Amino acid sequence: MSTYPQTSNYIAGKPGVGTGAEQSVIDPFTGEVIWTYRADDASTVGAAVQAAAAAYPEWSGATPADRSGALTALAVELSSVAEELAQTETAQTGKPIRLSREFDVPGSIDNVSFFAGAARHLDGHASGEYSGDHTSTIRRESLGVVGSIAPWNYPLQMAAWKVLPAIAAGNTIVLKPAENTPLTTLLLAEACSRAGIPAGVVNIVNGPGPDTGQTLVTDPALSMMSFTGSTAVGRHIAGLAAANGTRLHLELGGKAPFVVFDDADLEAAVRGAVAGSLINSGQDCTAATRAYVHRSLFDDFVDGVTDLMRRVRLGAPADPETDQGPLVSFRQRDRVASMVERALRDGAKAVSGGQAPGDDLADGAYYEPTLLVDADQRSEIVQQEAFGPVLVALPFDRDDEGIELANDVPFGLAASAWTRDVFRAQAAARRIEAGTVWINDHIPIISEMPHGGMKASGYGKDMSSYSFDEYTQIKHVMSDITAEAAKPWHTTVFAHAEQR
Ligand code: NDP
């Protein structure tokens, strides 16, 4: 408890305490409350937006080199508290400490370093005399105050993905993390201050989405709203933001297909399917959720996945030997369990898992690694996000059929194709409707490349220079170079006026 921030919000460079209803952060391993705070109400959210607006002129006017320097200092600050970040992330989410130490924290720090570089790289068309009578130049400018709402699955990384491109581009931000996982986001804000990022550039408010979050979304002073979370809430937010004409960035749900062609390396596909479906207990919007496997490999694939899933070690999140921790909350575990129950009632069969474990893990929000077969393509478990350690395997006979089934869901965030044939790989990469297509792998991400979806998965890109672009706007400056008062185009307006 002592390492957690003694604050519930972070506004204008200072920790503060909310005045709304009391909220609890619960360790999903023990079910115990590890931190309480008061939610931020409308007046506190308004103060955060005002702090961001007050900080904007100076921050947006800073040179790219100055902003880059501050982000470089932030990377150093975060590195110096990497272990505290990892332990706090694990305590509030239940994710295994190995994942926090080797993925969440270093990935976030690498993102900071990437955007320290991106801050100095402003792309645009070449200036030139496109009209003959003018020189056109493009300016890339920041937007203003950005509001952001992040989910609970990777709290630190999601905060980083939202804050970094926004502030690297010269904006200021007010971010609301998920109400059950605010702690590492507050630690990030504190590190921003220690790194010399001016007060008011990064502000954090906390509280439930329908209250604190919705108040933020509807603030008319926001220039942009960025959101990662469920498709339903994303669309709700889009409606609210539209009323103010607020620019939107939406990174929504996923239901990633995992397509195994008949020439695939079966061992690689089995390992990839288990790692890709169980990472972060499956609470990953790019997790492998639907394995379409050529019928000639199907039985061996199912046997291999079942065998490996049974060897995955569930245990205490803080234990470095643990492979899979609890889900983030009992609510999320129950949501996954009831979705699997409905699938089983509808005819699916669990060849691995399909239930919460008993015995010594009964106090935590655990769910067993689960492989389902015999599900119908149209059923809920194939069509909708489960966001838990659940993989469904379905056979196919023709390449075309495998790809059509992969595309036959509302979502389009990520996908993978498994084959040794370069032509099949290229066809899958081209035809699968997803923002990322992996070939012979599933999950890796990298700061230089975009993450974001198509279809019901939204359209906002996180990471990479594409996300930096989304937090900027371009301005065309068109300068007359003739020094003539009478321009040829005036005749379209008053061709004969001077003769009258
Ligand atoms: P939500 O989409 O409800 O939550 C994501 C964020 O939105 C949280 O910060 C939440 O706040 C906030 N929020 C919720 N309602 C509103 C609102 N009316 N106005 C403004 N902000 C709001 O996801 P859940 O936590 O309920 O998870 C439900 C399902 O969503 C999961 O089972 C999973 O399928 C999917 N999901 C997908 C994610 C992704 O990255 N694609 C991430 C998280 C969930 P708070 O939690 O504090 O109420």
Side-chain angles (χ1 to χ4, degrees), residues 150-152 176 179 209 214 227 230 252 285 332 335 385 387:
W152 41 257
K176 189 204 86 67
E179 65 190 276
Q214 200 149 311
F227 172 80
S230 63
L252 307 176
C285 48
Q332 185 62 16
R335 190 185 276 152
E385 255 189 325
F387 233 58

Side-chain angles (χ1 to χ4, degrees), residues 208-459:
D211 306 324
T212 312
Q214 200 149 311
T215 305
L216 178 61
V217 176
T218 50
D219 194 303
L222 296 187
S223 299
M224 174 171 169
M225 187 67 218
S226 69
F227 172 80
T228 295
S230 63
T231 296
V233 173
R235 288 180 174 171
H236 175 66
I237 282 175
L240 297 173
N244 288 330
T246 306
R247 181 175 171 136
L248 270 173
H249 166 109
L250 298 177
E251 201 274 274
L252 307 176
K255 191 73 191 174
F258 184 102
V259 185
V260 184
F261 294 101
D262 64 6
D263 65 333
D265 176 338
L266 185 65
E267 188 196 346
V270 164
R271 291 173 64 94
V274 175
S277 61
L278 299 188
I279 186 163
N280 207 31
S281 299
Q283 301 162 117
D284 183 312
C285 48
T286 64
T289 58
R290 300 175 289 136
Y292 297 105
V293 185
H294 190 270
R295 200 175 296 276
S296 61
L297 298 180
F298 188 78
D299 290 345
D300 289 340
F301 177 86
V302 167
D303 288 348
V305 169
T306 307
D307 179 52
L308 191 49
M309 276 188 171
R310 287 189 181 145
R311 285 189 275 136
V312 166
R313 188 165 173 239
L314 274 57
D319 182 349
E321 298 296 310
T322 292
D323 295 323
Q324 188 184 304
L327 274 69
V328 74
S329 64
F330 292 88
R331 178 171 163 251
Q332 185 62 16
R333 194 271 305 273
D334 294 347
R335 190 185 276 152
V336 172
S338 56
M339 205 163 165
V340 171
E341 272 165 31
R342 288 194 292 279
L344 298 176
R345 265 204 314 272
D346 289 351
K349 201 170 113 216
V351 284
S352 169
Q355 60 186 12
D359 304 335
D360 48 340
L361 296 176
D363 289 343
Y366 286 87
Y367 199 76
E368 287 185 358
T370 297
L371 177 65
L372 300 178
V373 295
D374 295 343
D376 190 273
Q377 173 68 17
R378 303 306 320 153
S379 64
E380 180 194 40
I381 197 72
V382 176
Q383 293 289 321
Q384 297 301 325
E385 255 189 325
F387 233 58
V390 180
L391 178 67
V392 184
L394 297 154
F396 69 86
D397 294 301
R398 293 172 295 101
D399 284 15
D400 277 356
E401 184 193 357
I403 290 177
E404 281 157 19
L405 290 167
N407 287 338
D408 176 33
V409 295
F411 302 101
L413 186 59
S416 63
W418 297 75
T419 174
R420 292 179 165 108
D421 180 333
V422 67
F423 300 107
R424 274 178 158 163
Q426 290 301 322
R430 180 170 55 80
R431 292 182 57 199
I432 294 179
E433 298 160 356
T436 297
V437 178
W438 290 284
I439 305 295
N440 295 323
D441 209 340
H442 193 115
I443 288 297
I445 51 174
I446 192 82
S447 295
E448 290 83 352
M449 288 292 146
H451 167 93
M454 299 175 174
K455 296 160 68 177
S457 297
Y459 44 77

Side-chain angles (χ1 to χ4, degrees), residues 40-241:
D40 291 317
D41 59 15
S43 66
T44 311
V45 173
V49 173
Q50 275 175 25
Y56 179 67
E58 192 183 330
W59 183 247
S60 59
T63 63
D66 284 345
R67 289 199 292 267
S68 174
L71 290 178
T72 302
L74 176 60
V76 173
E77 278 300 329
L78 291 174
S79 298
S80 73
V81 291
E83 181 58 20
E84 180 187 359
L85 286 167
Q87 292 205 15
T88 308
E89 197 72 318
T90 283
Q92 67 177 354
T93 61
K95 68 177 70 196
I97 190 70
R98 263 196 347 255
L99 186 64
S100 295
R101 281 188 185 135
E102 295 170 22
F103 183 66
D104 294 68
V105 174
S108 302
I109 295 171
D110 186 65
N111 239 257
V112 180
S113 301
F114 173 79
F115 283 106
R120 303 183 75 162
H121 186 76
L122 302 175
D123 255 348
H125 280 291
S127 300
E129 288 66 50
Y130 295 93
S131 88
D133 290 343
H134 306 85
T135 295
S136 283
T137 53
I138 292 289
R139 294 175 54 81
R140 185 171 286 282
E141 299 183 347
S142 51
L143 298 162
V145 177
V146 175
S148 189
I149 292 183
W152 41 257
N153 53 346
Y154 294 100
L156 178 65
Q157 287 207 75
M158 294 303 105
W161 288 10
K162 299 303 179 207
V163 168
L164 297 167
I167 69 170
N171 305 287
T172 56
I173 189 165
V174 179
L175 170 73
K176 189 204 86 67
E179 65 190 276
N180 51 338
T181 56
L183 292 167
T184 44
T185 309
L186 290 167
L187 292 174
L188 172 68
E190 288 180 356
C192 287
S193 288
R194 290 199 303 277
I197 294 174
V201 172
V202 176
N203 306 278
I204 310 299
V205 292
N206 277 302
D211 306 324
T212 312
Q214 200 149 311
T215 305
L216 178 61
V217 176
T218 50
D219 194 303
L222 296 187
S223 299
M224 174 171 169
M225 187 67 218
S226 69
F227 172 80
T228 295
S230 63
T231 296
V233 173
R235 288 180 174 171
H236 175 66
I237 282 175
L240 297 173

